[in-house]
Amino acid sequence: QVTLKESGPALVKPTQTLTLTCTFSGFSLSTRGMRVSWIRQPPGKALEWLARIDWDDDKFYSTSLKTRLTISRDTSKNQVVLTMTNMDPVDTATYYCARMRPGYYDSSGYYAPYDFDYWGQGTLVTVSS
Amino acid sequence: SYVLTQPPSVSVAPGQTARITCGGNNIGSKSVHWYQQKPGQAPVLVVYDDSDRPSGIPERFSGSNSGNPATLTISRVEAGDEADYYCQVWDSSSDHVVFGGGTKLTVL
């Protein structure tokens, strides 16, 4: 059974650094094809992809936020950590971690899906002084 | 950057068919995924790879992507289908995941 759960502060002050942890179970991020992303959603607005980390420790970031984001993993703890620097009130949002459907081999070769089959419940982060 | 365009809202009477569109440049060449999000809940995948359904998703949910736009079709709509729906693709040129702006489905 795959589960993911986000944890971190509910309130941060402007200019502070946010650190969020995604603790997951039911799969290993060391297994080929596994990938975990962070996605956020401001209140009443659309989903926005932030970052992704892969089984081989490859990392990918949203171009618009790249300079502020760092994603990392602790495979022994089954955790993925996201840090976001220089927080601003516009960063107020629910932050989700989600697993991408694992890649697999078929008759055509290796296929890497890019949909999210499991999501955490989300954690609301408010940026305010 | 790649942009996905969805109508802000769609309304449909119970028992009727709802169609939610998702437009993007050359979207027919991409795999489109759809999520349902009810208030206060995380998104749930309802269609992946244009037209496949995860286990547990009713057959009433179907998808197509034979050109612009891609479409999520919900047949025999029920009150419980009222939610926000998001389309999503992967933009290979930037290696970015892209979400549409979301469509609020209202069941009249």
Side-chain angles (χ1 to χ4, degrees):
Chain A
Q1 179 190 4
V2 173
T3 64
L4 303 97
K5 187 173 184 179
E6 306 86 353
S7 58
L11 179 67
V12 297
K13 290 181 167 49
T15 76
Q16 286 186 336
T17 294
L18 170 69
T19 299
L20 295 173
T21 301
C22 173
T23 303
F24 56 87
S25 63
F27 68 97
S28 170
L29 198 44
S30 299
T31 301
R32 180 184 175 88
M34 292 298 177
R35 297 157 292 167
V36 173
S37 276
W38 283 95
I39 297 148
R40 71 178 180 179
Q41 184 174 38
K45 296 189 177 181
L47 301 164
E48 178 186 18
W49 175 77
L50 300 177
R52 180 183 115 214
I53 190 165
D54 293 0
W55 78 96
D56 57 1
D57 209 31
D58 264 354
K59 299 161 187 173
F60 304 85
Y61 297 98
S62 164
T63 300
S64 61
L65 292 167
K66 185 173 185 176
T67 59
R68 299 173 53 205
L69 295 174
T70 303
I71 192 169
S72 61
R73 65 179 187 170
D74 185 332
T75 53
S76 66
K77 294 182 179 179
N78 279 350
Q79 291 180 335
V80 172
V81 176
L82 181 77
T83 62
M84 181 180 290
T85 61
N86 195 25
M87 293 293 285
D88 183 272
V90 300
D91 297 312
T92 294
T94 296
Y95 287 75
Y96 296 99
C97 61
R99 188 187 83 162
M100 277 184 162
R101 195 158 48 94
Y104 57 90
Y105 286 95
D106 63 13
S107 57
S108 302
Y110 184 75
Y111 176 63
Y114 284 89
D115 54 288
F116 300 100
D117 59 353
Y118 290 93
W119 294 66
Q121 63 190 22
T123 185
L124 176 61
V125 178
T126 300
V127 184
S128 175
S129 55
Chain B
S1 61
Y2 194 81
V3 175
L4 292 173
T5 301
Q6 297 182 236
S9 62
V10 168
S11 299
V12 64
Q16 300 303 302
T17 297
R19 294 180 179 84
I20 299 172
T21 59
C22 177
N25 185 36
N26 202 24
I27 196 170
S29 67
K30 301 182 184 301
S31 289
V32 180
H33 319 293
W34 293 91
Y35 302 86
Q36 176 193 68
Q37 186 181 33
K38 296 182 178 180
Q41 298 183 19
V44 173
L45 182 68
V46 293
V47 168
Y48 65 93
D49 289 351
D50 297 334
S51 58
D52 290 334
R53 272 187 316 277
S55 61
I57 300 300
E59 291 184 5
R60 301 184 298 105
F61 289 82
S62 63
S64 65
N65 184 20
S66 54
N68 204 2
T71 303
L72 173 70
T73 301
I74 309 171
S75 304
R76 302 180 300 282
V77 166
E78 303 173 355
D81 298 331
E82 191 162 280
D84 293 325
Y85 291 85
Y86 293 91
C87 60
Q88 177 245 311
V89 301
W90 174 62
D91 179 27
S92 58
S93 64
S94 62
D95 211 344
H96 277 35
V97 166
V98 179
F99 288 97
T103 297
K104 181 175 180 58
L105 175 66
T106 299
V107 181
L108 301 171

